Amino acid sequence: MSTIINTPNAPAPIGPYNQAVMAGNMLFVSGQIALDPQSGELVLTDLTTETTKVLENIKAILTEAGLDFSHIVKTSIFLKDMGDFARVNEIYGSYFTGNYPARETVQVAALPKNVNVEISVIAYKG
């Protein structure tokens, strides 16, 4: 059994997918970019602002599902430039306390809407 999770506090999907799907006790959050949920505009002022917006969008989806960052068990970070790794990692790390999830970070040729960072997560509601 699965449940679709959508919230107006995170950007609407820009394709044929949902913000997240709860399957049993697992929440699969689609890749999030720095779109402002109210205006639909990209927030690309600088890498810090962009990464923070991505994580705030993830937070809104987790909240809608009754979860928070402590429930995340796996994260995938996609970067346009691996040179941004240290800065993104610093901001990312500030959203967690204690036990960090498993993760991979990869550089890709391009991301949707030409953003610099996209992050997807898997969370466990146990």
Side-chain angles (χ1 to χ4, degrees):
M1 170 122 182
S2 63
T3 304
I4 303 303
I5 304 295
N6 280 305
T7 175
N9 298 319
I14 57 175
Y17 60 91
N18 287 293
Q19 291 171 338
V21 176
M22 180 72 81
N25 288 338
M26 303 295 293
L27 180 70
F28 299 87
V29 179
S30 295
Q32 295 298 304
I33 60 175
L35 279 172
D36 181 88
Q38 279 69 47
S39 70
E41 298 294 319
L42 286 170
V43 180
L44 303 177
T45 312
D46 56 59
L47 186 62
T48 298
T49 305
E50 181 178 354
T51 304
T52 300
K53 187 59 172 163
V54 170
L55 291 161
E56 288 298 313
N57 288 340
I58 290 169
K59 182 180 179 180
I61 295 167
L62 290 169
T63 299
E64 183 69 19
L67 304 173
D68 59 37
F69 279 86
S70 71
H71 293 96
I72 295 175
V73 295
K74 177 72 167 59
T75 304
S76 298
I77 301 177
F78 305 95
L79 298 174
K80 188 161 81 172
D81 181 355
M82 194 56 82
D84 293 335
F85 177 84
R87 186 67 192 127
V88 170
N89 195 52
E90 181 182 338
I91 299 157
Y92 167 89
S94 72
Y95 279 77
F96 295 91
T97 57
N99 297 324
Y100 297 103
R103 180 183 91 184
E104 71 265 337
T105 302
V106 296
Q107 179 175 313
V108 296
L111 288 166
K113 296 191 175 277
N114 203 32
V115 299
N116 298 297
V117 61
E118 178 176 358
I119 302 175
S120 65
V121 302
I122 300 170
Y124 177 72
K125 187 176 189 174

